[in-house]
Amino acid sequence: MAANTILQLTFKRSDLKTTTMSIPTPKTGLTVEAVNTAMAGIIAKNIFAPDGMDLISKAKAELVVTDTTTFSMS
């Protein structure tokens, strides 16, 4: 079995829709404070504007872990 971890950061945009950024293989031991600080920095620096819309607030953050089991084919 192989585990895959992705950090998903969801932001509210200026058009009130949401957009999600997926970060593959995030650091282990992430804290709520570190994620909040990173998301606030992304918003403050205004470096991403999906579909031309500014990110205006944090909506949610999730650490998603999936397990994959590969079966041998005969």
Side-chain angles (χ1 to χ4, degrees):
M1 254 193 272
N4 185 32
T5 304
I6 297 172
L7 176 62
Q8 293 183 334
L9 307 175
T10 303
F11 298 87
K12 187 173 285 188
R13 304 176 344 175
S14 57
D15 63 356
L16 304 182
K17 293 182 180 180
T18 59
T19 193
T20 302
M21 295 179 186
S22 296
I23 301 169
T25 320
K27 287 184 182 180
T28 56
L30 280 176
T31 64
V32 172
E33 294 82 15
V35 174
N36 271 307
T37 300
M39 291 179 78
I42 290 169
I43 293 167
K45 292 182 183 191
N46 200 27
I47 54 177
F48 297 105
D51 299 326
M53 298 291 138
D54 292 336
L55 304 178
I56 60 170
S57 66
K58 299 175 278 183
K60 68 179 177 177
E62 298 176 312
L63 200 56
V64 179
V65 181
T66 57
D67 285 327
T68 303
T69 302
T70 304
F71 295 99
S72 297
M73 298 291 110
S74 55

PDB file of all heavy atoms in Angstrom, residues 1-9 21-31 35 61-68:
ATOM      1  N   MET A   1       0.837  -1.188   0.000  1.00  0.00           N
ATOM      2  CA  MET A   1       0.000   0.000   0.000  1.00  0.00           C
ATOM      3  C   MET A   1       0.879   1.248   0.000  1.00  0.00           C
ATOM      4  O   MET A   1       1.855   1.317   0.715  1.00  0.00           O
ATOM      5  CB  MET A   1      -0.873   0.019   1.247  1.00  0.00           C
ATOM      6  CG  MET A   1      -2.300  -0.311   0.983  1.00  0.00           C
ATOM      7  SD  MET A   1      -3.372   0.070   2.357  1.00  0.00           S
ATOM      8  CE  MET A   1      -3.259  -1.428   3.277  1.00  0.00           C
ATOM      9  N   ALA A   2       0.475   2.208  -0.774  1.00  0.00           N
ATOM     10  CA  ALA A   2       1.188   3.484  -0.818  1.00  0.00           C
ATOM     11  C   ALA A   2       0.213   4.596  -0.448  1.00  0.00           C
ATOM     12  O   ALA A   2      -0.889   4.664  -0.983  1.00  0.00           O
ATOM     13  CB  ALA A   2       1.746   3.718  -2.212  1.00  0.00           C
ATOM     14  N   ALA A   3       0.625   5.442   0.493  1.00  0.00           N
ATOM     15  CA  ALA A   3      -0.232   6.566   0.905  1.00  0.00           C
ATOM     16  C   ALA A   3       0.186   7.816   0.151  1.00  0.00           C
ATOM     17  O   ALA A   3       1.370   8.052  -0.086  1.00  0.00           O
ATOM     18  CB  ALA A   3      -0.128   6.791   2.399  1.00  0.00           C
ATOM     19  N   ASN A   4      -0.786   8.604  -0.223  1.00  0.00           N
ATOM     20  CA  ASN A   4      -0.558   9.864  -0.929  1.00  0.00           C
ATOM     21  C   ASN A   4      -1.227  10.975  -0.120  1.00  0.00           C
ATOM     22  O   ASN A   4      -2.387  10.850   0.253  1.00  0.00           O
ATOM     23  CB  ASN A   4      -1.157   9.784  -2.334  1.00  0.00           C
ATOM     24  CG  ASN A   4      -0.862  10.997  -3.170  1.00  0.00           C
ATOM     25  OD1 ASN A   4       0.175  11.624  -3.027  1.00  0.00           O
ATOM     26  ND2 ASN A   4      -1.774  11.342  -4.044  1.00  0.00           N
ATOM     27  N   THR A   5      -0.484  12.041   0.156  1.00  0.00           N
ATOM     28  CA  THR A   5      -1.018  13.149   0.948  1.00  0.00           C
ATOM     29  C   THR A   5      -1.022  14.421   0.125  1.00  0.00           C
ATOM     30  O   THR A   5      -0.033  14.743  -0.542  1.00  0.00           O
ATOM     31  CB  THR A   5      -0.171  13.361   2.220  1.00  0.00           C
ATOM     32  OG1 THR A   5      -0.134  12.135   2.948  1.00  0.00           O
ATOM     33  CG2 THR A   5      -0.751  14.445   3.100  1.00  0.00           C
ATOM     34  N   ILE A   6      -2.131  15.142   0.185  1.00  0.00           N
ATOM     35  CA  ILE A   6      -2.280  16.418  -0.526  1.00  0.00           C
ATOM     36  C   ILE A   6      -2.887  17.420   0.451  1.00  0.00           C
ATOM     37  O   ILE A   6      -3.824  17.106   1.180  1.00  0.00           O
ATOM     38  CB  ILE A   6      -3.209  16.272  -1.751  1.00  0.00           C
ATOM     39  CG1 ILE A   6      -2.617  15.302  -2.766  1.00  0.00           C
ATOM     40  CG2 ILE A   6      -3.474  17.627  -2.406  1.00  0.00           C
ATOM     41  CD1 ILE A   6      -3.548  14.965  -3.909  1.00  0.00           C
ATOM     42  N   LEU A   7      -2.333  18.639   0.459  1.00  0.00           N
ATOM     43  CA  LEU A   7      -2.913  19.732   1.234  1.00  0.00           C
ATOM     44  C   LEU A   7      -3.776  20.548   0.287  1.00  0.00           C
ATOM     45  O   LEU A   7      -3.295  21.031  -0.738  1.00  0.00           O
ATOM     46  CB  LEU A   7      -1.814  20.610   1.839  1.00  0.00           C
ATOM     47  CG  LEU A   7      -2.282  21.851   2.598  1.00  0.00           C
ATOM     48  CD1 LEU A   7      -3.123  21.461   3.805  1.00  0.00           C
ATOM     49  CD2 LEU A   7      -1.086  22.690   3.015  1.00  0.00           C
ATOM     50  N   GLN A   8      -5.061  20.659   0.596  1.00  0.00           N
ATOM     51  CA  GLN A   8      -5.979  21.432  -0.241  1.00  0.00           C
ATOM     52  C   GLN A   8      -6.370  22.708   0.497  1.00  0.00           C
ATOM     53  O   GLN A   8      -6.912  22.656   1.603  1.00  0.00           O
ATOM     54  CB  GLN A   8      -7.225  20.618  -0.576  1.00  0.00           C
ATOM     55  CG  GLN A   8      -6.925  19.435  -1.474  1.00  0.00           C
ATOM     56  CD  GLN A   8      -8.154  18.666  -1.878  1.00  0.00           C
ATOM     57  OE1 GLN A   8      -9.155  18.659  -1.178  1.00  0.00           O
ATOM     58  NE2 GLN A   8      -8.082  18.008  -3.023  1.00  0.00           N
ATOM     59  N   LEU A   9      -6.069  23.848  -0.130  1.00  0.00           N
ATOM     60  CA  LEU A   9      -6.383  25.160   0.434  1.00  0.00           C
ATOM     61  C   LEU A   9      -7.515  25.765  -0.394  1.00  0.00           C
ATOM     62  O   LEU A   9      -7.368  25.955  -1.601  1.00  0.00           O
ATOM     63  CB  LEU A   9      -5.159  26.071   0.374  1.00  0.00           C
ATOM     64  CG  LEU A   9      -3.870  25.519   0.993  1.00  0.00           C
ATOM     65  CD1 LEU A   9      -2.709  26.494   0.758  1.00  0.00           C
ATOM     66  CD2 LEU A   9      -4.060  25.231   2.465  1.00  0.00           C
ATOM     67  N   MET A  21      -6.533  25.252  -4.145  1.00  0.00           N
ATOM     68  CA  MET A  21      -5.157  24.958  -4.547  1.00  0.00           C
ATOM     69  C   MET A  21      -4.769  23.642  -3.899  1.00  0.00           C
ATOM     70  O   MET A  21      -5.013  23.451  -2.713  1.00  0.00           O
ATOM     71  CB  MET A  21      -4.206  26.041  -4.053  1.00  0.00           C
ATOM     72  CG  MET A  21      -4.413  27.367  -4.645  1.00  0.00           C
ATOM     73  SD  MET A  21      -3.220  28.525  -3.935  1.00  0.00           S
ATOM     74  CE  MET A  21      -3.802  30.017  -4.665  1.00  0.00           C
ATOM     75  N   SER A  22      -4.175  22.755  -4.661  1.00  0.00           N
ATOM     76  CA  SER A  22      -3.728  21.469  -4.134  1.00  0.00           C
ATOM     77  C   SER A  22      -2.210  21.442  -4.102  1.00  0.00           C
ATOM     78  O   SER A  22      -1.561  21.719  -5.109  1.00  0.00           O
ATOM     79  CB  SER A  22      -4.242  20.324  -5.003  1.00  0.00           C
ATOM     80  OG  SER A  22      -5.650  20.281  -4.951  1.00  0.00           O
ATOM     81  N   ILE A  23      -1.666  21.119  -2.937  1.00  0.00           N
ATOM     82  CA  ILE A  23      -0.219  21.059  -2.756  1.00  0.00           C
ATOM     83  C   ILE A  23       0.154  19.604  -2.490  1.00  0.00           C
ATOM     84  O   ILE A  23      -0.166  19.064  -1.425  1.00  0.00           O
ATOM     85  CB  ILE A  23       0.227  21.964  -1.598  1.00  0.00           C
ATOM     86  CG1 ILE A  23      -0.207  23.397  -1.898  1.00  0.00           C
ATOM     87  CG2 ILE A  23       1.730  21.862  -1.373  1.00  0.00           C
ATOM     88  CD1 ILE A  23      -0.068  24.350  -0.759  1.00  0.00           C
ATOM     89  N   PRO A  24       0.814  18.965  -3.467  1.00  0.00           N
ATOM     90  CA  PRO A  24       1.192  17.565  -3.271  1.00  0.00           C
ATOM     91  C   PRO A  24       2.366  17.442  -2.300  1.00  0.00           C
ATOM     92  O   PRO A  24       3.224  18.322  -2.232  1.00  0.00           O
ATOM     93  CB  PRO A  24       1.590  17.111  -4.679  1.00  0.00           C
ATOM     94  CG  PRO A  24       1.990  18.352  -5.389  1.00  0.00           C
ATOM     95  CD  PRO A  24       1.197  19.473  -4.763  1.00  0.00           C
ATOM     96  N   THR A  25       2.373  16.389  -1.544  1.00  0.00           N
ATOM     97  CA  THR A  25       3.445  16.063  -0.610  1.00  0.00           C
ATOM     98  C   THR A  25       3.805  17.238   0.303  1.00  0.00           C
ATOM     99  O   THR A  25       4.934  17.723   0.283  1.00  0.00           O
ATOM    100  CB  THR A  25       4.698  15.569  -1.377  1.00  0.00           C
ATOM    101  OG1 THR A  25       4.303  14.730  -2.460  1.00  0.00           O
ATOM    102  CG2 THR A  25       5.623  14.781  -0.472  1.00  0.00           C
ATOM    103  N   PRO A  26       2.864  17.717   1.096  1.00  0.00           N
ATOM    104  CA  PRO A  26       3.166  18.827   2.017  1.00  0.00           C
ATOM    105  C   PRO A  26       4.094  18.363   3.139  1.00  0.00           C
ATOM    106  O   PRO A  26       4.253  17.159   3.376  1.00  0.00           O
ATOM    107  CB  PRO A  26       1.789  19.212   2.568  1.00  0.00           C
ATOM    108  CG  PRO A  26       0.993  17.964   2.466  1.00  0.00           C
ATOM    109  CD  PRO A  26       1.496  17.245   1.243  1.00  0.00           C
ATOM    110  N   LYS A  27       4.706  19.319   3.820  1.00  0.00           N
ATOM    111  CA  LYS A  27       5.575  19.002   4.960  1.00  0.00           C
ATOM    112  C   LYS A  27       4.813  18.184   5.990  1.00  0.00           C
ATOM    113  O   LYS A  27       3.623  18.409   6.203  1.00  0.00           O
ATOM    114  CB  LYS A  27       6.032  20.281   5.666  1.00  0.00           C
ATOM    115  CG  LYS A  27       7.043  21.087   4.952  1.00  0.00           C
ATOM    116  CD  LYS A  27       7.414  22.254   5.869  1.00  0.00           C
ATOM    117  CE  LYS A  27       8.396  23.178   5.233  1.00  0.00           C
ATOM    118  NZ  LYS A  27       8.728  24.298   6.138  1.00  0.00           N
ATOM    119  N   THR A  28       5.513  17.288   6.640  1.00  0.00           N
ATOM    120  CA  THR A  28       4.884  16.560   7.732  1.00  0.00           C
ATOM    121  C   THR A  28       4.853  17.466   8.958  1.00  0.00           C
ATOM    122  O   THR A  28       5.685  18.359   9.107  1.00  0.00           O
ATOM    123  CB  THR A  28       5.645  15.257   8.064  1.00  0.00           C
ATOM    124  OG1 THR A  28       7.002  15.576   8.354  1.00  0.00           O
ATOM    125  CG2 THR A  28       5.597  14.281   6.906  1.00  0.00           C
ATOM    126  N   GLY A  29       3.886  17.255   9.809  1.00  0.00           N
ATOM    127  CA  GLY A  29       3.788  18.031  11.035  1.00  0.00           C
ATOM    128  C   GLY A  29       3.220  19.424  10.866  1.00  0.00           C
ATOM    129  O   GLY A  29       3.445  20.290  11.709  1.00  0.00           O
ATOM    130  N   LEU A  30       2.487  19.658   9.791  1.00  0.00           N
ATOM    131  CA  LEU A  30       1.867  20.976   9.602  1.00  0.00           C
ATOM    132  C   LEU A  30       0.924  21.283  10.761  1.00  0.00           C
ATOM    133  O   LEU A  30       0.230  20.407  11.253  1.00  0.00           O
ATOM    134  CB  LEU A  30       1.062  21.022   8.308  1.00  0.00           C
ATOM    135  CG  LEU A  30       1.827  21.226   7.015  1.00  0.00           C
ATOM    136  CD1 LEU A  30       0.866  21.156   5.831  1.00  0.00           C
ATOM    137  CD2 LEU A  30       2.542  22.541   7.013  1.00  0.00           C
ATOM    138  N   THR A  31       0.899  22.552  11.156  1.00  0.00           N
ATOM    139  CA  THR A  31      -0.007  22.977  12.221  1.00  0.00           C
ATOM    140  C   THR A  31      -1.091  23.878  11.636  1.00  0.00           C
ATOM    141  O   THR A  31      -0.928  24.442  10.546  1.00  0.00           O
ATOM    142  CB  THR A  31       0.744  23.756  13.309  1.00  0.00           C
ATOM    143  OG1 THR A  31       1.268  24.962  12.726  1.00  0.00           O
ATOM    144  CG2 THR A  31       1.869  22.930  13.920  1.00  0.00           C
ATOM    145  N   VAL A  35      -0.697  26.724   8.523  1.00  0.00           N
ATOM    146  CA  VAL A  35      -1.579  26.750   7.347  1.00  0.00           C
ATOM    147  C   VAL A  35      -2.321  28.084   7.275  1.00  0.00           C
ATOM    148  O   VAL A  35      -2.415  28.705   6.212  1.00  0.00           O
ATOM    149  CB  VAL A  35      -2.556  25.554   7.361  1.00  0.00           C
ATOM    150  CG1 VAL A  35      -3.573  25.662   6.234  1.00  0.00           C
ATOM    151  CG2 VAL A  35      -1.787  24.243   7.248  1.00  0.00           C
ATOM    152  N   ALA A  61      -9.169  24.467   4.825  1.00  0.00           N
ATOM    153  CA  ALA A  61      -7.946  23.749   4.471  1.00  0.00           C
ATOM    154  C   ALA A  61      -8.121  22.306   4.918  1.00  0.00           C
ATOM    155  O   ALA A  61      -8.660  22.040   5.992  1.00  0.00           O
ATOM    156  CB  ALA A  61      -6.735  24.375   5.154  1.00  0.00           C
ATOM    157  N   GLU A  62      -7.700  21.384   4.060  1.00  0.00           N
ATOM    158  CA  GLU A  62      -7.838  19.972   4.360  1.00  0.00           C
ATOM    159  C   GLU A  62      -6.579  19.226   3.960  1.00  0.00           C
ATOM    160  O   GLU A  62      -6.013  19.480   2.898  1.00  0.00           O
ATOM    161  CB  GLU A  62      -9.013  19.362   3.595  1.00  0.00           C
ATOM    162  CG  GLU A  62     -10.361  19.957   3.930  1.00  0.00           C
ATOM    163  CD  GLU A  62     -11.478  19.391   3.079  1.00  0.00           C
ATOM    164  OE1 GLU A  62     -11.318  19.334   1.842  1.00  0.00           O
ATOM    165  OE2 GLU A  62     -12.497  19.004   3.674  1.00  0.00           O
ATOM    166  N   LEU A  63      -6.169  18.315   4.831  1.00  0.00           N
ATOM    167  CA  LEU A  63      -5.082  17.405   4.521  1.00  0.00           C
ATOM    168  C   LEU A  63      -5.750  16.104   4.095  1.00  0.00           C
ATOM    169  O   LEU A  63      -6.436  15.454   4.890  1.00  0.00           O
ATOM    170  CB  LEU A  63      -4.219  17.196   5.766  1.00  0.00           C
ATOM    171  CG  LEU A  63      -2.810  16.690   5.563  1.00  0.00           C
ATOM    172  CD1 LEU A  63      -2.018  17.593   4.628  1.00  0.00           C
ATOM    173  CD2 LEU A  63      -2.105  16.576   6.895  1.00  0.00           C
ATOM    174  N   VAL A  64      -5.596  15.742   2.827  1.00  0.00           N
ATOM    175  CA  VAL A  64      -6.276  14.577   2.267  1.00  0.00           C
ATOM    176  C   VAL A  64      -5.252  13.461   2.086  1.00  0.00           C
ATOM    177  O   VAL A  64      -4.241  13.645   1.408  1.00  0.00           O
ATOM    178  CB  VAL A  64      -6.938  14.920   0.912  1.00  0.00           C
ATOM    179  CG1 VAL A  64      -7.612  13.702   0.313  1.00  0.00           C
ATOM    180  CG2 VAL A  64      -7.917  16.074   1.076  1.00  0.00           C
ATOM    181  N   VAL A  65      -5.530  12.322   2.713  1.00  0.00           N
ATOM    182  CA  VAL A  65      -4.635  11.164   2.624  1.00  0.00           C
ATOM    183  C   VAL A  65      -5.392  10.028   1.951  1.00  0.00           C
ATOM    184  O   VAL A  65      -6.486   9.664   2.387  1.00  0.00           O
ATOM    185  CB  VAL A  65      -4.149  10.715   4.022  1.00  0.00           C
ATOM    186  CG1 VAL A  65      -3.210   9.522   3.905  1.00  0.00           C
ATOM    187  CG2 VAL A  65      -3.472  11.863   4.750  1.00  0.00           C
ATOM    188  N   THR A  66      -4.809   9.489   0.884  1.00  0.00           N
ATOM    189  CA  THR A  66      -5.411   8.356   0.196  1.00  0.00           C
ATOM    190  C   THR A  66      -4.423   7.197   0.189  1.00  0.00           C
ATOM    191  O   THR A  66      -3.219   7.398   0.111  1.00  0.00           O
ATOM    192  CB  THR A  66      -5.796   8.694  -1.257  1.00  0.00           C
ATOM    193  OG1 THR A  66      -4.642   9.155  -1.949  1.00  0.00           O
ATOM    194  CG2 THR A  66      -6.858   9.764  -1.326  1.00  0.00           C
ATOM    195  N   ASP A  67      -4.942   6.006   0.286  1.00  0.00           N
ATOM    196  CA  ASP A  67      -4.127   4.790   0.183  1.00  0.00           C
ATOM    197  C   ASP A  67      -4.443   4.117  -1.131  1.00  0.00           C
ATOM    198  O   ASP A  67      -5.599   4.014  -1.535  1.00  0.00           O
ATOM    199  CB  ASP A  67      -4.457   3.818   1.316  1.00  0.00           C
ATOM    200  CG  ASP A  67      -3.872   4.262   2.651  1.00  0.00           C
ATOM    201  OD1 ASP A  67      -2.786   4.869   2.645  1.00  0.00           O
ATOM    202  OD2 ASP A  67      -4.505   3.988   3.677  1.00  0.00           O
ATOM    203  N   THR A  68      -3.388   3.615  -1.767  1.00  0.00           N
ATOM    204  CA  THR A  68      -3.552   2.910  -3.019  1.00  0.00           C
ATOM    205  C   THR A  68      -2.981   1.507  -2.860  1.00  0.00           C
ATOM    206  O   THR A  68      -1.862   1.336  -2.401  1.00  0.00           O
ATOM    207  CB  THR A  68      -2.817   3.633  -4.170  1.00  0.00           C
ATOM    208  OG1 THR A  68      -3.309   4.966  -4.250  1.00  0.00           O
ATOM    209  CG2 THR A  68      -3.011   2.923  -5.492  1.00  0.00           C
TER     210      THR A  68
END
